[in-house]
Amino acid sequence: MAQQAANQWNAQLYDTKMGFVSQLGKAVLDLLAPQEGEKVLDVGCGTGDLTAAIAASGAVPVGIDLSPEMIQKAREKYPSLTFVAANAETYRTEQPFDAVFSNAALHWMKNPAAVIESIWLALRPGGRFVAEFGGKGNIQTIFAAISEELANSGIAAAERNPWYYPSIAEYSTLLERQGFTVVYASLFDRPTSLGTDRDALLPWLETFAGPFFHDFSEAAKAQAFRSITERVRPALYKDGNWLVDYKRLRIVAYKEPVAAT
């Protein structure tokens, strides 16, 4: 799950508290339907769980992620697989892939046109791109609370926002400009459970909201996270369970084969 360098990933916390990311990614993996022997690039592979699932299908995956911490953890967990620390905005490969896959990662990449170009160049003609990530309206309740908290310190959240949540039209247009044919695009609500712990939002904020508070002391950041948690509790903590207001964008697109001459 590549993202801006301002947020340093804690790979252990991600694995122990954010396991739902990979679990929920299995649906988009079904959409990829990797085949025996296919070469698949996993963009924003995190700690490698879905890369390993791709390998289990008989395909040959390579996982890339901007975070060296994530890549190191992935290599420790799956030493037989290939993981590379790389920036998806500039990634280049001499050996083309049959498919490019990405789950819960592209919304961390603030230059989507550059990422799409990298994906295009990584694919063979006729190859497919299958992805799911945060779409327009994702985590609106939490973002509003973060904005309110930062405003108390005279900071505009928009200036620190590490996330990119496009609409179907916005992202499909970028893909088509690159030359992709978009065959499937869906933006849907997916309320996501963080569990029943009354403080379950705190590790979520620690994992994902760090860039907003990169210059806060640890004590000030912890206090801000508790304040945000209390702001959103009435809306997101119901019947003893946290349900975060996720909206996901799911895409399938093809790189058109070169026409015969």
Side-chain angles (χ1 to χ4, degrees):
M1 178 175 294
Q3 69 182 87
Q4 293 180 341
N7 196 24
Q8 298 299 312
W9 285 100
N10 181 328
Q12 183 64 32
L13 177 64
Y14 181 85
D15 259 5
T16 57
K17 296 293 187 179
M18 302 297 133
F20 66 85
V21 175
S22 295
Q23 288 294 323
L24 294 173
K26 290 179 179 178
V28 72
L29 191 61
D30 290 342
L31 196 61
L32 174 69
Q35 302 299 305
E36 182 85 25
E38 278 194 319
K39 297 174 182 175
V40 180
L41 179 66
D42 184 359
V43 175
C45 63
T47 60
D49 290 344
L50 292 179
T51 318
I54 292 170
S57 73
V60 183
V62 172
I64 67 169
D65 201 287
L66 182 61
S67 166
E69 295 85 0
M70 291 292 204
I71 290 297
Q72 179 60 34
K73 187 69 172 177
R75 288 171 176 166
E76 291 171 2
K77 291 167 65 176
Y78 306 108
S80 65
L81 301 182
T82 301
F83 297 98
V84 179
N87 187 334
E89 294 180 2
T90 57
Y91 178 78
R92 297 293 184 268
T93 176
E94 294 182 359
Q95 189 167 15
F97 290 87
D98 299 297
V100 174
F101 171 80
S102 186
N103 177 64
L106 297 177
H107 54 254
W108 290 104
M109 304 177 196
K110 298 296 288 292
N111 189 348
V115 175
I116 288 169
E117 181 183 21
S118 294
I119 291 167
W120 174 269
L121 293 173
L123 281 169
R124 64 165 176 79
R128 66 196 185 281
F129 169 43
V130 179
E132 182 181 302
F133 57 106
K136 186 175 182 179
N138 192 55
I139 60 166
Q140 278 187 323
T141 303
I142 294 174
F143 181 74
I146 289 172
S147 299
E148 292 172 11
E149 185 66 24
L150 287 174
N152 291 336
S153 298
I155 300 169
E159 296 176 359
R160 299 187 172 197
N161 187 3
W163 301 320
Y164 165 68
Y165 297 139
S167 67
I168 288 177
E170 180 182 351
Y171 202 73
S172 295
T173 297
L174 290 174
L175 288 168
E176 289 168 352
R177 283 177 182 166
Q178 182 62 54
F180 279 102
T181 297
V182 180
V183 299
Y184 176 80
S186 176
L187 179 66
F188 57 96
D189 292 332
R190 195 190 66 200
T192 299
S193 174
L194 301 184
T196 58
D197 187 329
R198 284 185 57 82
D199 291 328
L201 188 64
L202 293 175
W204 189 99
L205 291 166
E206 183 66 36
T207 302
F208 299 128
F212 290 102
F213 301 92
H214 65 88
D215 54 356
F216 280 48
S217 69
E218 286 301 313
K221 184 174 71 170
Q223 179 56 47
F225 287 169
R226 289 205 168 274
S227 178
I228 292 164
T229 297
E230 293 312 311
R231 276 194 175 93
V232 302
R233 190 183 299 278
L236 302 182
Y237 186 67
K238 296 182 177 180
D239 299 322
N241 184 40
W242 281 98
L243 278 179
V244 178
D245 52 340
Y246 274 28
K247 289 182 181 288
R248 308 317 266 182
L249 179 58
R250 194 173 286 178
I251 293 282
V252 179
Y254 281 81
K255 180 176 181 176
E256 292 295 348
V258 177
T261 57

